[in-house]
Amino acid sequence: MAENTEVVVIGGGYAGVMAADRLTQHADVTVTLINPRPDFVERIRLHQLVGGSHDAVVEYAKVLGRGVRLLVDSVTEIDAAARRVALASGGTAAYDYLVYAVGSGSADPGVPGAAEFAYPINSLEEAQRLRPVLAAAPATAAVTVVGGGPTGIETAAELAEQGRTVTLVCGGVLGPYLHARGRRSVAGRLARLGVTVLEGPGAKVAAVTRGAVRLGDGRGLPSEVTIWTAGFGVPDLAVRSGLSTDAEGRLLTDETLTSVDDDRIVAAGDSAAPSGLPLRMSCQAAIPLGARAADTVLSRIAGERPAPLNAVFAGQCISLGRRAGIFQVARRSDVALWFHVAGRPGAKLKEFICQGIIKHLAGEAREPGSYGLHRVPGGPRRQRLLATASHRTPAPTTADQAA
């Protein structure tokens, strides 16, 4: 690494911050992090922002290394041939290597009235918009939370614990990731909080109006405030830039997280689709993916062969208000096991994890390269999936094909 190398990281979430911090372990690598906000968002606390128990924001000074230049702006296009990105402010930023860590956000609901009358909470701005709406609503107002995944469960529990009248519309099964035992535990806690849980195929939302939610089976639910937590989508930056993506718009990479189009572009986090087999969207995946992306860039700069993805999961942690939670233990291949930690210990474990994430990022900022990666290459389940995928010929989606 005799010459200085410019690395641009797009996205200042869990993956982007970890990648940017880790890249600074070499003095001849200049790192610029481009993010539309001046603060780090604790996305896993957005339901707390909605409930008023946390602002879900941390100063970048606490998690970003001194060697990282923070540019508060948005990238509108990637010009891979010229190795530069266009900025919303009108300028450009040149790079030798690019880390694509744009994350994920709310997906298009695709349900009549949802975009107009329901409140998504997958971004800081969305959660901040909902907070005063809830504050203005009477304590007896009917609140409907759409989506039976972790965000929906956490939001429903958070508001019910405050005495709100909450209905959780799952559109399928409650907590689909959970083991049956863990699901029963969550259902029991929600019942004690007074949450009405609607499951099954008839519990899919067919339409949203200003004061009600209509289900697929014809039922109508009064709803003064409707909160939409069903589904995630990724920004279309890669598609707009003519890069190969999967059907959802995630950047297609190999197992080293390198773009299939350009070995100067590396992806991490929710917006990455390694081998067309993306990991579960989560900060649990984003942080090690950010570290792996940084290591891939550093290996390429040094002329070395990058190591492949080594994703290992521990489970899923869900808060159930401020006094209870659940940690669903899983196999390292991300399949839930029968064992879980629930109740007050589950709440303490969830809070410990939330605080630990910030400590991991802050630790990498202070001592770049200190974050430890698991040494198990992908696990047997991913190896089987890769072997199966190798017999198929994937059809990458580019901007031209998508049009």
Side-chain angles (χ1 to χ4, degrees):
M1 296 187 187
E3 299 179 2
N4 187 72
T5 303
E6 297 279 350
V7 182
V8 167
V9 179
I10 308 175
Y14 297 106
V17 168
M18 173 55 74
D21 285 341
R22 198 170 184 87
L23 285 163
T24 62
Q25 60 188 292
H26 294 285
D28 45 8
V29 175
T30 300
V31 184
T32 299
L33 177 68
I34 304 175
N35 193 65
R37 306 178 191 90
D39 295 301
F40 177 79
V41 177
E42 287 191 82
R43 187 168 173 183
I44 57 175
R45 290 193 187 271
L46 288 178
H47 64 285
Q48 289 186 252
L49 190 160
V50 169
S53 64
H54 202 283
D55 62 9
V57 170
V58 173
E59 294 178 5
Y60 268 121
K62 295 182 179 179
V63 296
L64 208 55
R66 293 181 180 179
V68 179
R69 175 197 175 207
L70 174 63
L71 177 58
V72 180
D73 210 328
S74 297
V75 174
T76 58
E77 187 178 6
I78 300 167
D79 185 341
R83 293 183 194 164
R84 64 169 175 252
V85 298
L87 304 174
S89 62
T92 61
Y95 66 83
D96 294 306
Y97 287 90
L98 180 73
V99 177
Y100 187 84
V102 297
S104 62
S106 298
D108 181 359
V111 172
E116 302 156 274
F117 302 113
Y119 294 86
I121 58 169
N122 284 324
S123 73
L124 177 66
E125 292 77 15
E126 290 171 344
Q128 289 174 332
R129 183 168 69 97
L130 173 59
R131 178 63 192 147
V133 173
L134 279 169
T140 56
V143 177
T144 302
V145 179
V146 180
T151 305
I153 293 170
E154 291 185 324
T155 304
E158 197 79 21
L159 298 178
E161 193 177 64
Q162 298 175 2
R164 293 281 184 181
T165 302
V166 181
T167 298
L168 178 60
V169 180
C170 298
V173 67
L174 173 71
Y177 177 90
L178 301 171
H179 186 276
R181 291 183 60 165
R183 189 173 299 117
R184 286 194 295 271
S185 176
V186 170
R189 170 62 178 172
L190 292 175
R192 289 189 291 276
L193 289 172
V195 177
T196 299
V197 178
L198 302 180
E199 298 182 86
K204 292 185 178 180
V205 175
V208 180
T209 64
R210 189 178 299 278
V213 170
R214 181 165 58 83
L215 303 183
D217 60 8
R219 282 178 290 176
L221 307 175
S223 181
E224 191 161 329
V225 181
T226 301
I227 304 172
W228 198 275
T229 71
F232 293 103
V234 298
D236 64 351
L237 177 60
V239 174
R240 285 188 283 111
S241 301
L243 298 170
S244 296
T245 69
D246 68 2
E248 304 301 323
R250 303 178 185 91
L251 187 68
L252 276 178
T253 75
D254 63 15
E255 286 294 286
T256 72
L257 302 180
T258 303
S259 166
V260 297
D261 300 314
D262 190 330
D263 62 9
R264 297 283 181 144
I265 299 176
V266 178
D270 291 352
S271 55
S275 302
L277 298 170
L279 279 67
R280 173 164 56 89
M281 291 182 173
S282 62
C283 67
Q284 184 178 178
I287 290 177
L289 284 177
R292 174 59 61 208
D295 288 352
T296 291
V297 170
L298 293 175
S299 293
R300 292 196 179 281
I301 293 171
E304 300 170 353
R305 184 176 181 178
L309 175 67
N310 53 3
V312 178
F313 284 86
Q316 188 176 81
C317 204
I318 302 174
S319 66
L320 298 167
R322 296 299 88 211
R323 297 187 291 274
I326 182 171
F327 181 79
Q328 171 65 72
V329 178
R331 300 182 189 278
R332 66 188 186 190
S333 58
D334 205 25
V335 176
L337 293 167
W338 65 270
F339 183 73
H340 65 268
V341 179
R344 174 70 74 171
K348 290 183 177 179
L349 185 53
K350 173 62 186 286
E351 181 59 27
F352 175 79
I353 290 172
C354 288
Q355 294 180 15
I357 289 168
I358 299 301
K359 289 180 180 178
H360 277 314
L361 296 176
E364 189 71 15
R366 290 191 304 269
E367 188 180 348
S370 62
Y371 176 76
L373 289 169
H374 295 288
R375 298 304 175 189
V376 182
R381 182 169 180 266
R382 185 166 184 85
Q383 298 307 311
R384 289 196 298 271
L385 289 172
L386 288 170
T388 301
S390 68
H391 295 295
R392 300 192 299 266
T393 303
T397 299
T398 66
D400 290 337
Q401 291 170 326

